[in-house]
Amino acid sequence: MKVRYIRLIVSIAVLMVLLFASFSSIGPLPPLSKILNPSSGVFSPPPYFYSPGSQKLSVKFSNVSATVIVYRQSDGFIGIASNSTEALYYEQGYLEAEYRLAQLDFLKRTALGNLSAIAGPSTLQTDIFMREIQLYNTAVLERQNLSANNLTYIYLKSFVAGINAYIGNLTYARLPLLFKILNARPHAWNVTDVLAVQQLFLWENSAGGLDPIYFNFALQKMPESVIKAIYPAYPAGVQHPIVPYSLNPSIYKEQGDIRDLNLYVPYVNLSDPEYAAVNAFYTSAMTGLAKASMLFTGISDAYDIKMNYTVFHDFGSNDWAVNGIRTSNTSAMLANDPHLTTSVPSIWMGFQLVAPGMNVIGVTFPGFPGVILGHNPYIAWGATNGQIQETYFYAEQTSPSHPEDYYFNGSWVPFQVENETILVKGEKPVHIHIYRAVNGVVINNSLGVPIAMDWTGYIPTYEITFFLHINRAHSVMQFVQNLTRYFKIAIQNWAVADSSGNIGIFPYGLYPVIAKGNPRGILPGNGSYDWTGFIPQQYLPSLYDPSTGFVFSANQITVSPNYPYYIGWDYESGYRADQIYTMINSTYGFNYAKMEKIQLCVHDFTTDVFLKPLLNALNESGLSNTPEYSALKSWNGNMDINSTAATIYYFFIRDFVSSVFEPWLSYYGINGTYGLGQTAFFLGSDDYYHGPLIEDLVNWTMTHYNSTFFSNPVSGAKGNETTAMLGAYAMAINQITKDYGTYSSSWQWGNVHKRYLSSFFGLSALNTQEVPAAGDGNTINAADNNHAGYPNYSTNCATAATTDW
């Protein structure tokens, strides 16, 4: 009897819970009766159905009435043609909303700092950070500067009208699943929102980021001699600059030398508690960005909205162009593969846009009108990140005697204070105060040491206008005219080719100049170390129809060491660039097949430097009678999926870098508190293939076999390159054996190194199947591997464009 009563009570309790859940929201979830409704909930038909074929439409909005033809290709590219440019952008906005509405909404919410309104407190830090970097504030200024008859404004207004037309026609049943899960609806768009998404794109492609905050630890803790040895101002190793002195000496005529510019002192000295506070800020800011980014790709727990990937961030790209000197005729050809993350759905959308005076084909981001990368009948263009430092940091001097003020140019000046309110789902709104100084916005105010960041992106610019214009450009020079006028932030290495056979590469934009101080760390904010302006246009790096017959970039150093201005220091390692240079410089008679051969190359250039010394060390140590040695000895350095040597080499390089540098970082107090493992130059997740450390090893291998840095300063053990290589090799073999057993075909690179396309919204069930992947972070066909033995998250999005029609 007692059991029956217990069962009855439990049944009633369960019923009450189900009834409550059916009609009430729990956390981020909507009422179950709503989400499980068979006609309108999660089981309703998808919000759109993609069917290849053509469609003729009549478009009417505002004062526009026009005919539009839409053609959907089987590969996902969409063609739009109209006799009205406004109608064309209206339809592009409508189609971006139809196929990428959830992406559009979350990109906008990220840019506006409004994610927490639907995702709850897990993204609060992200919203705070996005408010601090002023994406929306700058967008407001840009919108205010656009008059009603400005073509950019007219086209953006048409674009958002198309987005809003789709949103306005949505019923609950047709909402994308993610909105139902979060119990949210998409908001209408306006022109300012598009400009805010532009600013998000610019932030995520602005080099430097928050790195100077961490590097300040190294500047304070390491002797200057060690800084110059491990972190030289000009990259060590093998370098092929994008704009070398030999091809454009005119930009080197000012006084100075990038290797020896007097920029190393002063920087701000912080106490240990201040170190910890600044590091805590950095970590929380990066965590916030990570949480924001997992909304676009990555893995998350059910209904727990997180992110682990930046939205538009360039993880190392390639572009190059060749002209008649290399093609043996009058044509020019161009290739570009931007290594932005690939996901399901992709962050790219493919369009062909045809209107009076325009016929362009290529790709764009959801939230952008026009085509970002592509070609028209006259020009083709591609881009890689320029890696130019665009963020500078200042420690503001404050005093209890002058609350709300900071010391600047000899007097106390009041901060400009902006009050912000962030809505948080399920909790009370959060009110924050943002402090702005002349030299930037305060993004950390721990222990009375306000750290302000100055970023070129705080200046209103119009990169979207640039894209709208170059879609119609007829020559390389027209492209450059628009580039110099409109594209200022997130400097890219723009490679361009035109139908007249001209080529060029143009890393143009705003390059800050300071008179003194160390921009690699935190500068004093007293006004003496602020920007004095920007590098004059005539001294900006560029190449136009060089005598070599080619231009190229792969995120390597931009200029030769005698360039007279500081422009940054933490570039990609340069070995993709070295391989591209090697292949292009030795090739003539370029055609499509030869361009594709370079683009698909999986040879790791670092094997040309390290492999022979490694084999010599193994042979001298009596390890030549092993299958692992035999695999390496017969290997050609290509990271092919069926190669066991590729796996051995990958683990060896990983351990070679870490075993040499971790003791030195530890010796000088760079531990987890101060950034160890959290950024590339402190052995972060991409240290194996990016940043200065692997370049040091290449340099020492070629020039300084007995460098003191091969010894261990902690244990006191002396060493050289051979001992360091043998130690790293032993570590690698032990790890591979532990993970994959004794040497066998299970060691093949394709078994260790895999790719999959991750869900844009962190829904792991929607990830694609893992497949074996060739390449690594040093190969032209780039396939960075963040965790050995785990799927590869940074995949190649290879595209090629040409003016050789």
Side-chain angles (χ1 to χ4, degrees):
M1 200 65 161
K2 184 177 180 181
V3 173
R4 290 182 180 178
Y5 280 122
I6 292 174
R7 289 176 177 172
L8 176 61
I9 292 171
V10 171
S11 299
I12 292 173
V14 170
L15 179 60
M16 293 296 292
V17 170
L18 288 174
L19 287 173
F20 177 79
S22 296
F23 299 100
S24 303
S25 297
I26 302 177
L29 291 173
L32 291 180
S33 61
K34 190 175 184 180
I35 197 171
L36 298 179
N37 187 303
S39 64
S40 63
V42 293
F43 303 110
S44 61
Y48 67 84
F49 178 74
Y50 187 93
S51 178
S54 61
Q55 183 182 17
K56 187 175 182 179
L57 304 168
S58 293
V59 170
K60 294 182 180 181
F61 65 99
S62 301
N63 296 321
V64 177
S65 178
T67 298
V68 175
I69 296 175
V70 176
Y71 180 75
R72 295 169 176 84
Q73 295 184 183
S74 58
D75 62 3
F77 257 77
I78 301 174
I80 309 173
S82 178
N83 58 355
S84 165
T85 303
E86 293 173 66
L88 179 139
Y89 288 128
Y90 172 94
E91 187 61 25
Q92 186 181 15
Y94 188 96
L95 291 169
E96 288 188 20
E98 181 176 3
Y99 298 124
R100 302 295 180 84
L101 184 59
Q103 282 175 303
L104 284 175
D105 194 72
F106 283 107
L107 286 171
K108 184 181 78 170
R109 288 181 183 276
T110 301
L112 271 56
N114 283 334
L115 282 170
S116 301
I118 62 169
S122 66
T123 56
L124 177 59
Q125 180 59 50
T126 303
D127 285 341
I128 293 173
F129 187 76
M130 292 300 171
R131 303 286 180 105
E132 287 176 340
I133 61 176
Q134 306 275 285
L135 303 180
Y136 184 73
N137 305 57
T138 305
V140 169
L141 294 175
E142 292 172 344
R143 165 63 188 91
Q144 291 172 349
N145 293 336
L146 292 175
S147 64
N149 59 358
N150 182 282
L151 281 179
T152 296
Y153 174 74
I154 291 171
Y155 294 155
L156 292 185
K157 186 178 179 182
S158 301
F159 179 71
V160 298
I163 294 174
N164 292 336
Y166 182 79
I167 292 174
N169 291 329
L170 273 179
T171 62
Y172 182 79
R174 306 294 288 177
L175 271 178
L177 175 61
L178 201 62
F179 290 101
K180 296 175 181 177
I181 291 175
L182 293 173
N183 197 22
R185 288 192 67 89
H187 286 172
W189 281 59
N190 57 44
V191 170
T192 307
D193 294 335
V194 180
L195 294 170
V197 172
Q198 169 198 266
Q199 293 304 110
L200 178 63
F201 161 83
L202 297 178
W203 166 254
E204 300 232 8
N205 279 282
S206 292
L210 304 177
D211 283 348
I213 293 176
Y214 266 175
F215 197 69
N216 199 79
F217 303 155
L219 293 173
Q220 184 166 333
K221 289 175 172 290
M222 291 179 170
E224 186 175 339
S225 60
V226 174
I227 291 288
K228 288 185 174 181
I230 297 181
Y231 302 116
Y234 191 87
V238 182
Q239 297 297 329
H240 289 99
I242 296 169
V243 185
Y245 176 86
S246 60
L247 296 181
N248 190 358
S250 66
I251 66 171
Y252 294 85
K253 289 184 178 179
E254 290 288 283
Q255 294 297 314
D257 186 324
I258 200 170
R259 292 172 300 189
D260 299 310
L261 291 176
N262 187 24
L263 293 169
Y264 297 106
V265 290
Y267 53 86
V268 172
N269 289 300
L270 301 175
S271 67
D272 280 347
E274 289 167 346
Y275 265 138
V278 172
N279 183 57
F281 149 72
Y282 187 104
T283 303
S284 64
M286 296 306 290
T287 300
L289 286 174
K291 287 182 177 178
S293 295
M294 197 181 289
L295 285 173
F296 305 98
T297 83
I299 301 172
S300 72
D301 298 326
Y303 310 133
D304 183 13
I305 301 303
K306 299 177 180 177
M307 302 190 218
N308 70 354
Y309 220 97
T310 42
V311 182
F312 297 122
H313 189 66
D314 180 345
F315 286 84
S317 301
N318 308 317
D319 64 10
W320 63 88
V322 294
N323 64 13
I325 296 173
R326 296 283 167 174
T327 61
S328 301
N329 53 45
T330 59
S331 67
M333 302 182 71
L334 180 144
N336 179 215
D337 55 330
H339 302 162
L340 300 182
T341 183
T342 48
S343 60
V344 183
S346 171
I347 61 170
W348 295 110
M349 290 191 73
F351 284 104
Q352 180 173 8
L353 306 175
V354 181
M358 178 173 68
N359 181 2
V360 62
I361 185 169
V363 292
T364 194
F365 298 120
F368 280 71
V371 164
I372 290 179
L373 300 174
H375 64 93
N376 62 33
Y378 309 101
I379 67 168
W381 65 93
T384 72
N385 195 294
Q387 305 293 103
I388 306 302
Q389 184 173 330
E390 297 177 72
T391 53
Y392 289 65
F393 291 83
Y394 297 90
E396 308 295 353
Q397 181 180 341
T398 59
S399 169
S401 303
H402 298 273
E404 305 297 316
D405 292 349
Y406 63 103
Y407 193 73
F408 185 79
N409 282 342
S411 61
W412 292 98
V413 180
F415 284 103
Q416 178 184 336
V417 183
E418 299 173 2
N419 300 315
E420 299 268 359
T421 298
I422 301 175
L423 300 179
V424 182
K425 187 170 186 175
E427 297 188 1
K428 294 180 180 179
V430 173
H431 304 285
I432 62 172
H433 306 293
I434 296 176
Y435 294 84
R436 187 163 189 161
V438 172
N439 48 24
V441 178
V442 174
I443 55 175
N444 179 53
N445 196 13
S446 302
L447 299 178
V449 185
I451 305 296
M453 180 183 77
D454 209 356
W455 171 42
T456 52
Y458 291 140
I459 302 169
T461 53
Y462 295 92
E463 283 70 18
I464 278 182
T465 301
F466 163 73
F467 293 123
L468 295 175
H469 281 215
I470 64 170
N471 288 183
R472 299 169 178 268
H474 283 212
S475 67
V476 171
M477 284 295 99
Q478 280 191 8
F479 182 97
V480 172
Q481 290 167 6
N482 286 289
L483 177 62
T484 56
R485 185 174 181 182
Y486 297 114
F487 203 99
K488 306 289 188 180
I489 318 302
I491 294 167
Q492 304 290 301
N493 303 307
W494 293 102
V496 197
D498 68 26
S499 55
S500 297
N502 303 301
I503 60 172
I505 193 162
F506 307 93
Y508 284 168
L510 295 178
Y511 290 64
V513 174
I514 63 172
K516 56 184 178 179
N518 195 335
R520 298 206 286 178
I522 302 172
L523 293 158
N526 58 23
S528 299
Y529 307 93
D530 289 8
W531 301 350
T532 59
F534 302 99
I535 297 178
Q537 177 72 35
Q538 66 266 33
Y539 297 117
L540 291 182
S542 68
L543 291 178
Y544 180 67
D545 282 341
S547 58
T548 56
F550 66 90
V551 296
F552 75 106
S553 69
N555 312 107
Q556 80 272 34
I557 181 70
T558 311
V559 292
S560 295
N562 53 327
Y563 189 68
Y565 296 96
Y566 172 82
I567 59 175
W569 72 280
D570 190 15
Y571 295 86
E572 296 287 340
S573 56
Y575 303 120
R576 282 181 293 111
D578 294 336
Q579 184 64 29
I580 292 170
Y581 175 86
T582 300
M583 296 182 75
I584 295 181
N585 195 47
S586 61
T587 304
Y588 290 88
F590 266 104
N591 54 23
Y592 287 104
K594 290 182 179 180
M595 294 288 275
E596 290 175 357
K597 181 180 179 180
I598 294 177
Q599 201 163 43
L600 298 177
C601 174
V602 292
H603 180 75
D604 187 328
F605 185 89
T606 65
T607 63
D608 297 354
V609 177
F610 290 133
L611 188 56
K612 185 176 180 179
L614 173 61
L615 289 169
N616 289 340
L618 294 175
N619 187 49
E620 292 171 5
S621 300
L623 297 174
S624 59
N625 294 322
T626 65
E628 295 88 350
Y629 177 89
S630 298
L632 288 171
K633 185 174 178 58
S634 61
W635 186 42
N636 59 7
N638 292 346
M639 302 296 288
D640 294 316
I641 60 174
N642 60 354
S643 170
T644 56
T647 301
I648 298 169
Y649 185 78
Y650 168 79
F651 278 83
F652 159 72
I653 285 292
R654 182 197 68 175
D655 293 330
F656 190 27
V657 174
S658 61
S659 63
V660 169
F661 290 103
E662 188 168 3
W664 286 96
L665 293 171
S666 176
Y667 180 74
Y668 287 110
I670 307 296
N671 53 35
T673 302
Y674 304 121
L676 182 65
Q678 297 182 54
T679 190
F681 48 76
F682 286 164
L683 295 173
S685 60
D686 63 343
D687 65 293
Y688 318 137
Y689 298 117
H690 307 293
L693 300 182
I694 192 173
E695 292 179 309
D696 291 337
L697 294 181
V698 166
N699 185 45
W700 298 334
T701 296
M702 298 175 67
T703 65
H704 198 11
Y705 173 85
N706 290 312
S707 169
T708 57
F709 292 99
F710 287 122
S711 299
N712 188 318
V714 177
S715 66
K718 301 297 182 182
N720 55 28
E721 183 185 63
T722 296
T723 59
M725 281 188 163
L726 290 174
Y729 180 80
M731 293 169 62
I733 296 300
N734 288 339
Q735 186 64 52
I736 303 171
T737 303
K738 178 181 177 182
D739 292 342
Y740 301 98
T742 56
Y743 181 85
S744 70
S745 60
S746 65
W747 285 32
Q748 290 180 349
W749 184 232
N751 187 50
V752 176
H753 183 253
K754 299 180 181 180
R755 301 182 190 179
Y756 67 84
L757 305 185
S758 57
S759 166
F760 189 85
F761 303 103
L763 302 176
S764 56
L766 300 181
N767 294 344
T768 64
Q769 183 179 359
E770 296 177 8
V771 295
D776 68 6
N778 279 332
T779 59
I780 301 173
N781 185 358
D784 201 3
N785 197 45
N786 292 335
H787 303 283
Y790 288 85
N792 167 43
Y793 297 104
S794 179
T795 56
N796 187 341
C797 180
T799 59
T802 177
T803 56
D804 185 17
W805 281 284

